[in-house]
Amino acid sequence: MSITVIIPTILRPLTNDQKRISITGYKVSDVINGMEQQYPGIKEKLVSEGNAHRFINIYINDNDIRFCDGLSTHLQDGDVLTILPAVAGG
Amino acid sequence: MLTIHSKLINAMIAQALDDHPIETCGIIAGPAGSNLPLRLIPMRNMAKSETFFQFDPQQQLHVWKEMDARGEEPIVIYHSHTDSQAYPSHTDVEHATEPQSHYVIIPTKSLYNHEIRSFRIIDQMVIEERVRIVHQYQPELELQMVA
């Protein structure tokens, strides 16, 4: 499965400034592991204790993975995985 | 320095006062790299809190995709402080992830005269900047403005 991943500004220093990268995987977690192999250090920005960070939004196409199966969400060829840090504050 | 149209300032303050005592939040989009705020987009505060805000993730995806399609970026990211001065809190700094954006804070307690302030937040470092309020943009840009 070839998946397009959209990288937010804040993580682009880790992906040689690329905004879109292609990674293969059957599940969201495969894609994150695949990214970690190519761009070490990215995984810890996205995942902690087996779940996506609370303030990192991950979407498959238009769907927030929190409302699917989280990191176990299955992917289909051509899916777009978008990473957006939550905009939040106090 | 943030250069911004007075109509956009007034719209942010009106929204913040309207939402008070809940924190308000939103962005002003503009052409990427232009440093010019044009389209004000109020965002839903999913936290509905007096001390915290978080953009609704579904709306955020929609708005971010729209900006991408239009070649825009969030020039301003704004929110209100309902009981404190307009200075970034620890939480604001922790969550700031757009180094190119102006972080605008609107204090809604009358004590602070609703005087907005603007900051850049880069690598957890806060730098206050001047806000230059203008009463007109170039005519073709003013037509694109949404306030």
Side-chain angles (χ1 to χ4, degrees):
Chain A
M1 306 285 173
S2 179
I3 308 300
T4 301
V5 183
I6 316 267
I7 306 291
T9 319
I10 195 84
L11 296 180
R12 281 179 215 157
L14 290 171
T15 60
N16 308 324
D17 255 356
Q18 295 176 91
K19 186 175 178 182
R20 285 162 199 271
I21 57 180
S22 259
I23 300 280
T24 53
Y26 291 93
K27 290 189 298 187
V28 174
S29 52
D30 299 341
V31 169
I32 291 174
N33 290 332
M35 282 198 287
E36 177 68 15
Q37 283 189 349
Q38 287 187 39
Y39 309 103
I42 201 163
K43 184 174 178 177
E44 66 172 21
K45 304 282 186 191
L46 305 175
V47 176
S48 64
E49 293 168 9
N51 287 308
H53 276 304
R54 183 174 159 210
F55 291 106
I56 291 285
N57 300 326
I58 300 175
Y59 311 87
I60 302 302
N61 305 319
D62 287 329
N63 303 310
D64 189 330
I65 62 164
R66 290 183 190 97
F67 302 114
C68 306
D69 285 329
L71 297 177
S72 307
T73 305
H74 283 269
L75 301 167
Q76 295 189 347
D77 201 38
D79 277 350
V80 177
L81 187 154
T82 304
I83 302 166
L84 283 183
V87 179
Chain B
M1 180 171 72
L2 168 65
T3 300
I4 184 170
H5 200 292
S6 55
K7 280 186 182 166
L8 294 167
I9 297 274
N10 294 341
M12 283 191 288
I13 294 173
Q15 182 194 332
L17 293 176
D18 209 37
D19 286 349
H20 184 86
I22 300 297
E23 281 198 20
T24 210
C25 57
I27 65 159
I28 310 178
S34 71
N35 203 23
L36 185 75
L38 272 184
R39 285 199 309 126
L40 184 133
I41 307 167
M43 299 291 293
R44 281 190 294 276
N45 176 4
M46 190 181 73
K48 290 190 180 14
S49 159
E50 298 178 16
T51 55
F52 191 72
F53 78 95
Q54 182 174 354
F55 287 5
D56 175 291
Q58 210 56 47
Q59 187 188 16
Q60 189 187 344
L61 177 68
H62 173 77
V63 168
W64 255 244
K65 276 173 128 173
E66 191 181 57
M67 282 195 289
D68 203 35
R70 296 170 61 112
E72 294 175 333
E73 64 185 3
I75 307 283
V76 168
I77 296 177
Y78 64 89
H79 76 286
S80 61
H81 278 181
T82 59
D83 196 28
S84 63
Q85 60 165 331
Y87 194 84
S89 64
H90 177 72
T91 320
D92 293 336
V93 176
E94 195 182 345
H95 290 289
T97 56
E98 299 285 351
Q100 82 292 351
S101 296
H102 303 269
Y103 284 86
V104 167
I105 303 179
I106 309 136
T108 49
K109 207 173 182 183
S110 52
L111 175 67
Y112 302 107
N113 294 323
H114 313 138
E115 205 167 302
I116 71 144
R117 289 164 75 181
S118 181
F119 305 85
R120 304 299 283 266
I121 307 175
I122 302 162
D123 290 337
Q124 311 264 303
M125 226 171 63
V126 177
I127 306 154
E128 181 156 17
E129 57 181 3
R130 206 179 126 212
V131 180
R132 179 169 153 254
I133 301 174
V134 297
H135 299 291
Q136 57 182 46
Y137 283 163
Q138 290 171 8
E140 69 272 22
L141 292 172
E142 199 146 329
L143 283 174
Q144 294 172 42
M145 187 167 66
V146 181

